Amino acid sequence: MFTGIKRFFTVFLIFICSVPLFAVEEYVAKIYKEIDHIFIIKSEDELNTVLSENNNDKYYYLIENYTEKKIRRLIVNNDYDFAMAAIVIVIENNLDNEQAVEMYSVISEAYEVQREHELEEEQKRLLEIARVEYEKEKQRKNVEKEYVSAGTAEGNSVYISGKETTLTSSSWKGALGLADVLWLHAPINDIETFHYGISLDFRYEYTLPNKMIMGVDAFGGVQFLSFADEEKKIPLVGDLEIAPKVTAGPLQNLFVRAGFATLLTGKSDKAPLTAEAVSDTMLSPFVGLKLEKLPLGPLRLDLGADWYAGHLFYNDINFAMGASANLEIPYAELERVKLTFNIGLRDKILLRDVGLENRASIILAIGVENVIR
């Protein structure tokens, strides 16, 4: 019986002592969780609040030890920024914590080593960037020795060899009209004649760095075979013109032209009806507009209209103008040039005192132009 009573008191004492221990563990565990969260979000203010609020607690040493444990974990992970801030907060809340002071010294030394390492790595990175830039600049200078920068027809810049510079900064086209058939109508004596001849058309354009295009157009056509009665036959008809041009504002396809033209008209003593019916050779400056290279699928269309100011110097000509159109059909492209088939229409209208004189021709031509790379 005495043994039973002894066992009862032993169990009772153990129960009485364990209740405060469990209570302490639950209270401290709650603070531990707060510290865990603080070290996740790395909030210096919240850490200082937790330590200062529990600074006078009899179990503060447990809270302090747990905080130092979390700081050591940061040191292992090389997270010295928050570790430094956290150990300073621990020391400020307990100036007698010699272990925290020693830990501060260790963190400071490790932090300085890390900063030196980071500076070395940053210096290596900057040196590598400088080396790469040096190599690029060296290669660029080598390229410039063999190549030059040139603008394309679209206004871009590319490096090309010196011998190909003209392929990107300028363009040209020549067209030989193998058939230039002209219909001439004069109001007097009811003259309507057809003529056959040849023509040559040429244009050159240069693209400036500001994308403006300057150039020149030149055309010459002569019809030397006349299909008409002897009294109406004209031995020679044709026209010649040359016109510098420049793009109109931002429109790359629209050109303003100003040049000089000649309308040829041969006379024959054997054709008395043409003496008054057809105007003599006319010399005239002119101005006009021209649309070039309008895309129609793979085809390109040119349209132009000109006003001939020379009519102001001829008593029997009240107004004069010209119009042109050309459809370009590509059929072969070589490395440097492109071959095209061209169908062109040209018309000259002279409004005379006696009526309207018209010279309209259709031209079938073979063209060659440089290839823009």
Side-chain angles (χ1 to χ4, degrees), residues 131-198:
R131 186 192 67 80
V132 172
E133 290 298 323
Y134 173 77
E135 290 296 329
K136 288 182 179 179
E137 182 65 17
K138 184 178 179 181
Q139 292 177 5
R140 186 184 66 81
K141 289 182 178 179
N142 290 336
V143 168
E144 288 181 344
K145 291 179 181 178
E146 299 180 9
Y147 297 84
V148 296
S149 177
T152 64
E154 292 78 16
N156 302 320
S157 294
V158 295
Y159 280 105
I160 59 174
S161 64
K163 63 182 180 181
E164 294 173 336
T165 303
T166 55
L167 296 185
T168 54
S169 61
S170 61
S171 64
W172 55 265
K173 176 185 177 182
L176 176 62
L178 301 177
D180 186 349
V181 180
L182 178 138
W183 169 74
L184 187 149
H185 168 76
I188 299 178
N189 297 327
D190 194 25
I191 293 179
E192 290 190 8
T193 62
F194 288 90
H195 303 259
Y196 173 85
I198 59 174

Side-chain angles (χ1 to χ4, degrees), residues 51 60-61 63-65 67-69 71-72 75 83-108:
L51 294 182
Y60 180 73
Y61 71 95
I63 301 171
E64 194 175 45
N65 289 340
T67 303
E68 293 173 357
K69 178 182 177 182
I71 293 173
R72 284 192 289 272
I75 296 173
M84 180 70 74
I87 197 65
V88 170
I89 294 172
V90 171
I91 293 173
E92 289 177 348
N93 282 277
N94 183 8
L95 297 177
D96 297 328
N97 190 337
E98 296 180 358
Q99 182 178 349
V101 175
E102 293 177 359
M103 188 180 298
Y104 174 82
S105 178
V106 172
I107 295 173
S108 297

Side-chain angles (χ1 to χ4, degrees), residues 12 16 42 51 59 70 73 103 112 154 165 167 169 187 212 221 230 259-261 284 298 304 323 328 336 360:
F12 179 75
I16 293 299
K42 298 181 180 180
L51 294 182
Y59 297 112
K70 300 293 290 186
R73 175 58 60 185
M103 188 180 298
E112 186 63 27
E154 292 78 16
T165 303
L167 296 185
S169 61
M212 178 181 290
E230 284 296 328
F260 193 84
S284 175
E328 178 184 290
R336 301 293 179 87

Side-chain angles (χ1 to χ4, degrees), residues 182-186 191 193 195 221-224 226 232-240 261-269 271 273-283 314 316-317 348 350 352 357-359:
L182 178 138
W183 169 74
L184 187 149
H185 168 76
I191 293 179
T193 62
H195 303 259
V222 178
Q223 294 79 30
F224 45 80
S226 177
K232 298 181 180 180
K233 183 174 291 186
I234 303 173
L236 181 68
V237 182
D239 62 309
L240 305 172
T262 300
L263 274 64
L264 303 175
T265 304
K267 294 297 184 67
S268 173
D269 296 336
L273 295 180
T274 65
E276 298 296 332
V278 180
S279 63
D280 293 329
T281 296
M282 176 180 174
L283 305 177
Y314 292 85
D316 65 334
I317 303 177
K348 299 293 186 295
L350 306 178
R352 304 179 63 192
E357 181 179 315
N358 193 9
R359 305 176 180 214

